[in-house]
Amino acid sequence: MRTTERGFTLYYYDAGGIDKIVYFFTENRGIIAGVAKGAKKSKNRFGGNLEPLNEVEIILYEKENSELPIIERVNIISNNFSLFNNLDSFNYLLTIADILIKLTPHNIAQGNLYRLLKAIIEGLKDGMEGEKVFSYFLIWFLRMEGMLPEFEVCSVCGKYRGEFEEFYISSDGSKVFCNNCKTGDSILIPSSFFVFEKLTKTLSPQQCANIEFKNQGEIKKFLIKLLHIYNGEEIKSLKAVQNL
Ligand SMILES: [Zn+2]
């Protein structure tokens, strides 16, 4: 059966022989993988069309009972090659691709995540800073997965956080504590995080681009910590962007 999908190329790796396995994030089926036959040959029919993070149309051939569909053709709808002129943006985007491939179910539509990825790529093309885009992605990813607690209220006594007050998150990421209720292994939430958390609830990446957030690096590191807590183990690719 031949099908056509629309989406973003995420990543490819070399399969045995002369083939590549390519991952896409598609509008209708979420993450899918396919085999690009002969793509490792210097002259092949895919050319540069398998490079990551372009918006593409994918023509697939799916055999019943076979594991991965065959990628017959990939046509670029909108090319994002310009994003790769900035090495930081490039690394952040590849890390986002890696998180999507590893932490989300495959072969199932995920409309909200798809729109998030699209918005982020648009933000980067408009010149938004890579670190901010990455934090925007992480916070929305965690929010959509239902992993974020309410940050402004103590989970134990119900007290609202006052301005300049220190609040903590439990080591399993599920509860938020005030200074009176915190436990020994609670983690201090950086004060810069509260503004970011509040504003990203309603603003698009482009709207956030014009806001100067204090301690952007600290916000990013805290979000990486949360993702590791929820994932139960470290994600290797996050190390590459931790200290950018
Ligand atoms: Zn409390």
Side-chain angles (χ1 to χ4, degrees), residues 150-151 153-157 159 161 165-172 174-187 189 194:
E150 176 59 68
F151 280 97
V153 189
C154 173
S155 311
V156 180
C157 71
K159 184 172 103 116
R161 190 182 71 92
E165 194 176 348
E166 289 187 337
F167 261 35
Y168 301 78
I169 191 157
S170 60
S171 58
D172 68 354
S174 69
K175 292 192 186 74
V176 169
F177 302 128
C178 71
N179 202 32
N180 291 329
C181 302
K182 72 169 190 254
T183 54
D185 55 356
S186 310
I187 300 156
I189 304 168
F194 294 102

Side-chain angles (χ1 to χ4, degrees), residues 31-215:
I31 292 180
I32 57 169
V35 185
K37 295 257 183 216
K40 266 165 75 183
K41 286 199 237 164
S42 57
K43 273 189 187 162
N44 68 75
R45 63 203 156 112
F46 297 104
N49 289 10
L50 299 178
E51 292 309 309
L53 298 149
N54 293 308
E55 191 173 3
V56 292
E57 178 190 63
I58 313 134
I59 295 148
L60 295 170
Y61 182 71
E62 302 183 70
K63 260 197 214 158
E64 251 180 90
N65 306 325
S66 99
E67 268 181 31
L68 287 178
I70 307 286
I71 302 163
E72 289 200 333
R73 228 175 43 231
V74 174
N75 301 317
I76 294 185
I77 297 168
S78 161
N79 94 63
N80 297 323
F81 292 126
S82 67
L83 292 175
F84 297 97
N85 295 332
N86 181 322
L87 194 61
D88 282 1
S89 300
F90 177 82
N91 282 320
Y92 281 121
L93 275 173
L94 287 187
T95 305
I96 288 172
D98 189 54
I99 291 170
L100 289 170
I101 292 169
K102 288 197 177 125
L103 302 190
T104 64
H106 294 192
N107 286 307
I108 180 167
Q110 305 197 66
N112 288 336
L113 265 181
Y114 186 80
R115 281 187 288 279
L116 176 62
L117 181 64
K118 206 175 160 103
I120 272 163
I121 289 174
E122 290 305 320
L124 280 171
K125 278 166 100 173
D126 287 353
M128 194 174 167
E129 204 193 325
E131 187 169 65
K132 200 187 272 181
V133 169
F134 183 66
S135 297
Y136 189 94
F137 169 81
L138 280 187
I139 200 161
W140 267 106
F141 179 76
L142 292 166
R143 210 174 258 150
M144 285 172 185
E145 300 291 308
M147 292 167 173
L148 290 189
E150 176 59 68
F151 280 97
E152 300 278 348
V153 189
C154 173
S155 311
V156 180
C157 71
K159 184 172 103 116
Y160 278 82
R161 190 182 71 92
E163 209 181 344
F164 309 120
E165 194 176 348
E166 289 187 337
F167 261 35
Y168 301 78
I169 191 157
S170 60
S171 58
D172 68 354
S174 69
K175 292 192 186 74
V176 169
F177 302 128
C178 71
N179 202 32
N180 291 329
C181 302
K182 72 169 190 254
T183 54
D185 55 356
S186 310
I187 300 156
L188 178 67
I189 304 168
S191 59
S192 54
F193 177 75
F194 294 102
V195 181
F196 188 75
E197 200 265 335
K198 203 180 281 175
L199 289 181
T200 53
K201 272 184 186 158
T202 52
L203 300 182
S204 69
Q206 281 91 339
Q207 287 168 317
C208 287
N210 303 316
I211 299 170
E212 191 71 43
F213 291 102
K214 258 198 253 166
N215 295 324

